[in-house]
Amino acid sequence: MSGIKKIGVMTAGGDCPGLNAVIRAVVKTAIQEYGLEVVGIKHGYRGLYLGGDEFVPLCLHDVSGIISRGGTILYSSNKDNLFDYTYVDEHGRQQRGDVSDKGVENLEKAGIDAMVIIGGDGTLTSARDFSRKGVKIIGVPKTIDNDLSSTDTTFGFDTAVATATESIDRLRTTAESHSRIIVVEVMGRYAGFIAIASALAGGADAALIPEIPYDINKVAEAVKANRARGKNFALVVVAEGAKPKDGDIVISKIVENSPDPIRLGGIGEVIAGQLEHLAGLECRATILGHTQRGGTPTANDRILSTRYGAYAVELLMNGKFGNMVTLNGADLGYASLENVIGKNKAVEKDGYWVKAARAVHMCLGD
Ligand code: F6P
């Protein structure tokens, strides 16, 4: 027997459609299948540090009806790394250091035997570090970027692609009406999954992804070639992390205390300016930004989140601590947090996304 009677659940890092569906599955499985108590820890690792009111009991009633809700009922933070944390000490002085012991102490105080931690690379890096300190943890892979290694898909990705695709559909009609090029900037950090997937689904003329540095002249040529055959508008999807062959990524801001302080953004405007000049069509840029993270999860994400949440509890009860739930093909599995962290997945240059794009002569800027 695992000896586990009470578990904690926490969401950390950037929010993502499907978080509530995972929380719901964790609570329902833990209570109904295993007779456990569940405690929700609010505001990610900050709540773990603060303890007290940040720890809330979760019962079936609390998760009723949340499967379709975006965001997270437990709130989140993408800044608080307890292994390198800025806090105010008992003398009112600002300090920075490792306060992870306080997190472990708060778990013990609350009688929490094990944790389900839902997050991306930054969140799961801390989960790994708490795991090394002896906390019993199962991670659940969350991110719209789909860039976590060891799993085919992270929940939230499908919804982000659906949102971006719907936007591309809307931008198509206005681009066509005004004979314009519209550059659509999507999220994804250093991976081009959202960009290539939504460009394929939205029938875009070009997709620029971080994995394939682009030559802007190639994009202009593709737009001009389409014009020569009578198409007087173009849709260009660009990943926020895309970069030119001879240049670098565009950074929008630096966020202190974040596991990855760099925030990308702004490449869309750069490309729009260049294309207007080179392709001879009026150009506009639309940055989809956080719309891709908000709102109702797709049916696929709700199902994946439910499978992940339920399986995370099963793994805890089977003593498989220190692992992250994975999906390979149709099958759930698990991979050690030690092996998952810091190995972000990228779009393969000769993989099926790129092959499909090339097959329909979508310009990839190379
Ligand atoms: O990792 C998810 C993500 O939405 C990225 O696609 C994006 O670069 C980043 O988070 C934005 O972070 P923030 O919410 O801090 O602006």
Side-chain angles (χ1 to χ4, degrees), residues 14 78 143-145 187-189 194 240 255 263-264 290 293:
N78 61 0
T143 170
I144 62 164
D145 306 336
M187 281 185 165
R189 226 182 268 268
I194 299 176
E240 61 180 358
V255 179
R263 291 296 176 276
L264 302 170
H290 291 80
R293 291 221 315 243

mmCIF file with all atom_site columns, all heavy atoms in Angstrom, residues 14 78 143-145 187-189 194 240 255 263-264 290 293, ligand 1:
data_model
loop_
_atom_site.group_PDB
_atom_site.id
_atom_site.type_symbol
_atom_site.label_atom_id
_atom_site.label_alt_id
_atom_site.label_comp_id
_atom_site.label_asym_id
_atom_site.label_entity_id
_atom_site.label_seq_id
_atom_site.pdbx_PDB_ins_code
_atom_site.Cartn_x
_atom_site.Cartn_y
_atom_site.Cartn_z
_atom_site.occupancy
_atom_site.B_iso_or_equiv
_atom_site.pdbx_formal_charge
_atom_site.auth_seq_id
_atom_site.auth_comp_id
_atom_site.auth_asym_id
_atom_site.auth_atom_id
_atom_site.pdbx_PDB_model_num
ATOM   1   N N   . GLY A 1 14  ? 2.432  29.679 -16.654 1.00 0.00 ? 14  GLY A N   1
ATOM   2   C CA  . GLY A 1 14  ? 1.392  30.352 -17.424 1.00 0.00 ? 14  GLY A CA  1
ATOM   3   C C   . GLY A 1 14  ? 0.131  29.504 -17.466 1.00 0.00 ? 14  GLY A C   1
ATOM   4   O O   . GLY A 1 14  ? 0.219  28.284 -17.525 1.00 0.00 ? 14  GLY A O   1
ATOM   5   N N   . ASN A 1 78  ? 3.719  32.541 -12.667 1.00 0.00 ? 78  ASN A N   1
ATOM   6   C CA  . ASN A 1 78  ? 4.853  31.996 -13.429 1.00 0.00 ? 78  ASN A CA  1
ATOM   7   C C   . ASN A 1 78  ? 6.162  32.663 -13.022 1.00 0.00 ? 78  ASN A C   1
ATOM   8   O O   . ASN A 1 78  ? 7.085  32.755 -13.794 1.00 0.00 ? 78  ASN A O   1
ATOM   9   C CB  . ASN A 1 78  ? 4.609  32.073 -14.941 1.00 0.00 ? 78  ASN A CB  1
ATOM   10  C CG  . ASN A 1 78  ? 4.413  33.477 -15.437 1.00 0.00 ? 78  ASN A CG  1
ATOM   11  O OD1 . ASN A 1 78  ? 4.450  34.419 -14.654 1.00 0.00 ? 78  ASN A OD1 1
ATOM   12  N ND2 . ASN A 1 78  ? 4.206  33.630 -16.732 1.00 0.00 ? 78  ASN A ND2 1
ATOM   13  N N   . THR A 1 143 ? 1.172  23.019 -21.320 1.00 0.00 ? 143 THR A N   1
ATOM   14  C CA  . THR A 1 143 ? 1.622  24.230 -22.009 1.00 0.00 ? 143 THR A CA  1
ATOM   15  C C   . THR A 1 143 ? 0.975  24.296 -23.391 1.00 0.00 ? 143 THR A C   1
ATOM   16  O O   . THR A 1 143 ? 0.895  23.282 -24.091 1.00 0.00 ? 143 THR A O   1
ATOM   17  C CB  . THR A 1 143 ? 3.154  24.347 -22.171 1.00 0.00 ? 143 THR A CB  1
ATOM   18  O OG1 . THR A 1 143 ? 3.421  25.447 -23.065 1.00 0.00 ? 143 THR A OG1 1
ATOM   19  C CG2 . THR A 1 143 ? 3.812  23.113 -22.742 1.00 0.00 ? 143 THR A CG2 1
ATOM   20  N N   . ILE A 1 144 ? 0.544  25.490 -23.747 1.00 0.00 ? 144 ILE A N   1
ATOM   21  C CA  . ILE A 1 144 ? 0.007  25.657 -25.104 1.00 0.00 ? 144 ILE A CA  1
ATOM   22  C C   . ILE A 1 144 ? 1.121  25.462 -26.127 1.00 0.00 ? 144 ILE A C   1
ATOM   23  O O   . ILE A 1 144 ? 0.853  25.167 -27.284 1.00 0.00 ? 144 ILE A O   1
ATOM   24  C CB  . ILE A 1 144 ? -0.660 27.042 -25.309 1.00 0.00 ? 144 ILE A CB  1
ATOM   25  C CG1 . ILE A 1 144 ? 0.346  28.184 -25.129 1.00 0.00 ? 144 ILE A CG1 1
ATOM   26  C CG2 . ILE A 1 144 ? -1.873 27.204 -24.421 1.00 0.00 ? 144 ILE A CG2 1
ATOM   27  C CD1 . ILE A 1 144 ? -0.143 29.520 -25.685 1.00 0.00 ? 144 ILE A CD1 1
ATOM   28  N N   . ASP A 1 145 ? 2.390  25.629 -25.711 1.00 0.00 ? 145 ASP A N   1
ATOM   29  C CA  . ASP A 1 145 ? 3.512  25.594 -26.656 1.00 0.00 ? 145 ASP A CA  1
ATOM   30  C C   . ASP A 1 145 ? 3.811  24.181 -27.177 1.00 0.00 ? 145 ASP A C   1
ATOM   31  O O   . ASP A 1 145 ? 4.489  24.033 -28.191 1.00 0.00 ? 145 ASP A O   1
ATOM   32  C CB  . ASP A 1 145 ? 4.789  26.144 -25.996 1.00 0.00 ? 145 ASP A CB  1
ATOM   33  C CG  . ASP A 1 145 ? 4.582  27.523 -25.410 1.00 0.00 ? 145 ASP A CG  1
ATOM   34  O OD1 . ASP A 1 145 ? 3.685  28.243 -25.863 1.00 0.00 ? 145 ASP A OD1 1
ATOM   35  O OD2 . ASP A 1 145 ? 5.323  27.879 -24.458 1.00 0.00 ? 145 ASP A OD2 1
ATOM   36  N N   . MET A 1 187 ? 1.873  32.559 -30.336 1.00 0.00 ? 187 MET A N   1
ATOM   37  C CA  . MET A 1 187 ? 2.803  32.216 -29.245 1.00 0.00 ? 187 MET A CA  1
ATOM   38  C C   . MET A 1 187 ? 3.529  30.904 -29.544 1.00 0.00 ? 187 MET A C   1
ATOM   39  O O   . MET A 1 187 ? 3.399  30.338 -30.624 1.00 0.00 ? 187 MET A O   1
ATOM   40  C CB  . MET A 1 187 ? 2.038  32.123 -27.935 1.00 0.00 ? 187 MET A CB  1
ATOM   41  C CG  . MET A 1 187 ? 1.726  33.467 -27.309 1.00 0.00 ? 187 MET A CG  1
ATOM   42  S SD  . MET A 1 187 ? 0.939  33.249 -25.704 1.00 0.00 ? 187 MET A SD  1
ATOM   43  C CE  . MET A 1 187 ? 1.106  34.912 -25.044 1.00 0.00 ? 187 MET A CE  1
ATOM   44  N N   . GLY A 1 188 ? 4.246  30.403 -28.560 1.00 0.00 ? 188 GLY A N   1
ATOM   45  C CA  . GLY A 1 188 ? 4.952  29.126 -28.731 1.00 0.00 ? 188 GLY A CA  1
ATOM   46  C C   . GLY A 1 188 ? 6.349  29.139 -28.154 1.00 0.00 ? 188 GLY A C   1
ATOM   47  O O   . GLY A 1 188 ? 7.052  28.145 -28.214 1.00 0.00 ? 188 GLY A O   1
ATOM   48  N N   . ARG A 1 189 ? 6.767  30.301 -27.665 1.00 0.00 ? 189 ARG A N   1
ATOM   49  C CA  . ARG A 1 189 ? 8.112  30.476 -27.129 1.00 0.00 ? 189 ARG A CA  1
ATOM   50  C C   . ARG A 1 189 ? 9.158  30.061 -28.171 1.00 0.00 ? 189 ARG A C   1
ATOM   51  O O   . ARG A 1 189 ? 9.107  30.568 -29.271 1.00 0.00 ? 189 ARG A O   1
ATOM   52  C CB  . ARG A 1 189 ? 8.261  29.694 -25.829 1.00 0.00 ? 189 ARG A CB  1
ATOM   53  C CG  . ARG A 1 189 ? 8.924  30.506 -24.738 1.00 0.00 ? 189 ARG A CG  1
ATOM   54  C CD  . ARG A 1 189 ? 9.089  29.703 -23.492 1.00 0.00 ? 189 ARG A CD  1
ATOM   55  N NE  . ARG A 1 189 ? 7.959  29.852 -22.592 1.00 0.00 ? 189 ARG A NE  1
ATOM   56  C CZ  . ARG A 1 189 ? 7.866  30.747 -21.623 1.00 0.00 ? 189 ARG A CZ  1
ATOM   57  N NH1 . ARG A 1 189 ? 8.855  31.564 -21.403 1.00 0.00 ? 189 ARG A NH1 1
ATOM   58  N NH2 . ARG A 1 189 ? 6.805  30.816 -20.862 1.00 0.00 ? 189 ARG A NH2 1
ATOM   59  N N   . ILE A 1 194 ? 2.558  25.767 -32.519 1.00 0.00 ? 194 ILE A N   1
ATOM   60  C CA  . ILE A 1 194 ? 1.283  26.486 -32.714 1.00 0.00 ? 194 ILE A CA  1
ATOM   61  C C   . ILE A 1 194 ? 1.285  27.124 -34.098 1.00 0.00 ? 194 ILE A C   1
ATOM   62  O O   . ILE A 1 194 ? 0.274  27.097 -34.815 1.00 0.00 ? 194 ILE A O   1
ATOM   63  C CB  . ILE A 1 194 ? 1.066  27.567 -31.630 1.00 0.00 ? 194 ILE A CB  1
ATOM   64  C CG1 . ILE A 1 194 ? 1.017  26.946 -30.236 1.00 0.00 ? 194 ILE A CG1 1
ATOM   65  C CG2 . ILE A 1 194 ? -0.228 28.352 -31.896 1.00 0.00 ? 194 ILE A CG2 1
ATOM   66  C CD1 . ILE A 1 194 ? 0.896  27.958 -29.097 1.00 0.00 ? 194 ILE A CD1 1
ATOM   67  N N   . GLU A 1 240 ? 6.232  33.609 -32.421 1.00 0.00 ? 240 GLU A N   1
ATOM   68  C CA  . GLU A 1 240 ? 6.904  34.702 -31.700 1.00 0.00 ? 240 GLU A CA  1
ATOM   69  C C   . GLU A 1 240 ? 8.409  34.472 -31.589 1.00 0.00 ? 240 GLU A C   1
ATOM   70  O O   . GLU A 1 240 ? 9.176  35.422 -31.459 1.00 0.00 ? 240 GLU A O   1
ATOM   71  C CB  . GLU A 1 240 ? 6.291  34.878 -30.304 1.00 0.00 ? 240 GLU A CB  1
ATOM   72  C CG  . GLU A 1 240 ? 6.422  33.633 -29.432 1.00 0.00 ? 240 GLU A CG  1
ATOM   73  C CD  . GLU A 1 240 ? 5.822  33.779 -28.042 1.00 0.00 ? 240 GLU A CD  1
ATOM   74  O OE1 . GLU A 1 240 ? 5.329  34.863 -27.706 1.00 0.00 ? 240 GLU A OE1 1
ATOM   75  O OE2 . GLU A 1 240 ? 5.846  32.780 -27.287 1.00 0.00 ? 240 GLU A OE2 1
ATOM   76  N N   . VAL A 1 255 ? 11.106 39.540 -17.546 1.00 0.00 ? 255 VAL A N   1
ATOM   77  C CA  . VAL A 1 255 ? 10.330 39.411 -16.300 1.00 0.00 ? 255 VAL A CA  1
ATOM   78  C C   . VAL A 1 255 ? 11.233 38.816 -15.223 1.00 0.00 ? 255 VAL A C   1
ATOM   79  O O   . VAL A 1 255 ? 11.608 37.643 -15.282 1.00 0.00 ? 255 VAL A O   1
ATOM   80  C CB  . VAL A 1 255 ? 9.095  38.505 -16.519 1.00 0.00 ? 255 VAL A CB  1
ATOM   81  C CG1 . VAL A 1 255 ? 8.306  38.340 -15.225 1.00 0.00 ? 255 VAL A CG1 1
ATOM   82  C CG2 . VAL A 1 255 ? 8.202  39.066 -17.613 1.00 0.00 ? 255 VAL A CG2 1
ATOM   83  N N   . ARG A 1 263 ? 10.544 37.347 -22.391 1.00 0.00 ? 263 ARG A N   1
ATOM   84  C CA  . ARG A 1 263 ? 9.230  37.274 -23.030 1.00 0.00 ? 263 ARG A CA  1
ATOM   85  C C   . ARG A 1 263 ? 9.402  37.713 -24.477 1.00 0.00 ? 263 ARG A C   1
ATOM   86  O O   . ARG A 1 263 ? 9.930  38.803 -24.760 1.00 0.00 ? 263 ARG A O   1
ATOM   87  C CB  . ARG A 1 263 ? 8.220  38.196 -22.334 1.00 0.00 ? 263 ARG A CB  1
ATOM   88  C CG  . ARG A 1 263 ? 7.833  37.743 -20.944 1.00 0.00 ? 263 ARG A CG  1
ATOM   89  C CD  . ARG A 1 263 ? 7.110  36.403 -20.949 1.00 0.00 ? 263 ARG A CD  1
ATOM   90  N NE  . ARG A 1 263 ? 6.828  35.948 -19.582 1.00 0.00 ? 263 ARG A NE  1
ATOM   91  C CZ  . ARG A 1 263 ? 7.704  35.281 -18.811 1.00 0.00 ? 263 ARG A CZ  1
ATOM   92  N NH1 . ARG A 1 263 ? 8.910  34.985 -19.267 1.00 0.00 ? 263 ARG A NH1 1
ATOM   93  N NH2 . ARG A 1 263 ? 7.365  34.903 -17.604 1.00 0.00 ? 263 ARG A NH2 1
ATOM   94  N N   . LEU A 1 264 ? 8.986  36.849 -25.394 1.00 0.00 ? 264 LEU A N   1
ATOM   95  C CA  . LEU A 1 264 ? 9.135  37.128 -26.821 1.00 0.00 ? 264 LEU A CA  1
ATOM   96  C C   . LEU A 1 264 ? 7.942  37.933 -27.309 1.00 0.00 ? 264 LEU A C   1
ATOM   97  O O   . LEU A 1 264 ? 6.893  37.961 -26.684 1.00 0.00 ? 264 LEU A O   1
ATOM   98  C CB  . LEU A 1 264 ? 9.228  35.809 -27.582 1.00 0.00 ? 264 LEU A CB  1
ATOM   99  C CG  . LEU A 1 264 ? 10.384 34.892 -27.155 1.00 0.00 ? 264 LEU A CG  1
ATOM   100 C CD1 . LEU A 1 264 ? 10.250 33.524 -27.791 1.00 0.00 ? 264 LEU A CD1 1
ATOM   101 C CD2 . LEU A 1 264 ? 11.717 35.525 -27.527 1.00 0.00 ? 264 LEU A CD2 1
ATOM   102 N N   . HIS A 1 290 ? -2.344 36.523 -25.639 1.00 0.00 ? 290 HIS A N   1
ATOM   103 C CA  . HIS A 1 290 ? -2.926 35.660 -24.618 1.00 0.00 ? 290 HIS A CA  1
ATOM   104 C C   . HIS A 1 290 ? -4.321 35.140 -24.949 1.00 0.00 ? 290 HIS A C   1
ATOM   105 O O   . HIS A 1 290 ? -4.858 34.328 -24.192 1.00 0.00 ? 290 HIS A O   1
ATOM   106 C CB  . HIS A 1 290 ? -2.916 36.386 -23.267 1.00 0.00 ? 290 HIS A CB  1
ATOM   107 C CG  . HIS A 1 290 ? -1.527 36.573 -22.731 1.00 0.00 ? 290 HIS A CG  1
ATOM   108 N ND1 . HIS A 1 290 ? -0.704 37.579 -23.176 1.00 0.00 ? 290 HIS A ND1 1
ATOM   109 C CD2 . HIS A 1 290 ? -0.812 35.858 -21.834 1.00 0.00 ? 290 HIS A CD2 1
ATOM   110 C CE1 . HIS A 1 290 ? 0.465  37.486 -22.561 1.00 0.00 ? 290 HIS A CE1 1
ATOM   111 N NE2 . HIS A 1 290 ? 0.424  36.458 -21.747 1.00 0.00 ? 290 HIS A NE2 1
ATOM   112 N N   . ARG A 1 293 ? -4.319 31.523 -24.821 1.00 0.00 ? 293 ARG A N   1
ATOM   113 C CA  . ARG A 1 293 ? -4.289 30.813 -23.536 1.00 0.00 ? 293 ARG A CA  1
ATOM   114 C C   . ARG A 1 293 ? -5.635 30.840 -22.821 1.00 0.00 ? 293 ARG A C   1
ATOM   115 O O   . ARG A 1 293 ? -5.836 30.096 -21.856 1.00 0.00 ? 293 ARG A O   1
ATOM   116 C CB  . ARG A 1 293 ? -3.232 31.439 -22.620 1.00 0.00 ? 293 ARG A CB  1
ATOM   117 C CG  . ARG A 1 293 ? -1.821 31.223 -23.068 1.00 0.00 ? 293 ARG A CG  1
ATOM   118 C CD  . ARG A 1 293 ? -0.867 30.902 -21.949 1.00 0.00 ? 293 ARG A CD  1
ATOM   119 N NE  . ARG A 1 293 ? -0.982 31.718 -20.782 1.00 0.00 ? 293 ARG A NE  1
ATOM   120 C CZ  . ARG A 1 293 ? -0.021 32.529 -20.327 1.00 0.00 ? 293 ARG A CZ  1
ATOM   121 N NH1 . ARG A 1 293 ? 1.112  32.646 -20.986 1.00 0.00 ? 293 ARG A NH1 1
ATOM   122 N NH2 . ARG A 1 293 ? -0.184 33.196 -19.215 1.00 0.00 ? 293 ARG A NH2 1
HETATM 123 O O1  . F6P B 2 .   ? 4.533  29.193 -22.301 1.00 0.00 ? 1   F6P B O1  1
HETATM 124 C C1  . F6P B 2 .   ? 3.282  29.735 -22.588 1.00 0.00 ? 1   F6P B C1  1
HETATM 125 C C2  . F6P B 2 .   ? 3.390  31.140 -23.090 1.00 0.00 ? 1   F6P B C2  1
HETATM 126 O O2  . F6P B 2 .   ? 2.094  31.599 -23.378 1.00 0.00 ? 1   F6P B O2  1
HETATM 127 C C3  . F6P B 2 .   ? 4.311  31.327 -24.279 1.00 0.00 ? 1   F6P B C3  1
HETATM 128 O O3  . F6P B 2 .   ? 3.736  30.895 -25.490 1.00 0.00 ? 1   F6P B O3  1
HETATM 129 C C4  . F6P B 2 .   ? 4.577  32.803 -24.187 1.00 0.00 ? 1   F6P B C4  1
HETATM 130 O O4  . F6P B 2 .   ? 5.810  33.115 -24.792 1.00 0.00 ? 1   F6P B O4  1
HETATM 131 C C5  . F6P B 2 .   ? 4.632  33.059 -22.702 1.00 0.00 ? 1   F6P B C5  1
HETATM 132 O O5  . F6P B 2 .   ? 3.949  31.984 -22.086 1.00 0.00 ? 1   F6P B O5  1
HETATM 133 C C6  . F6P B 2 .   ? 4.011  34.360 -22.265 1.00 0.00 ? 1   F6P B C6  1
HETATM 134 O O6  . F6P B 2 .   ? 4.195  34.513 -20.894 1.00 0.00 ? 1   F6P B O6  1
HETATM 135 P P1  . F6P B 2 .   ? 3.470  35.632 -20.023 1.00 0.00 ? 1   F6P B P1  1
HETATM 136 O O7  . F6P B 2 .   ? 2.103  35.147 -19.703 1.00 0.00 ? 1   F6P B O7  1
HETATM 137 O O8  . F6P B 2 .   ? 4.320  35.784 -18.835 1.00 0.00 ? 1   F6P B O8  1
HETATM 138 O O9  . F6P B 2 .   ? 3.397  36.875 -20.873 1.00 0.00 ? 1   F6P B O9  1
#
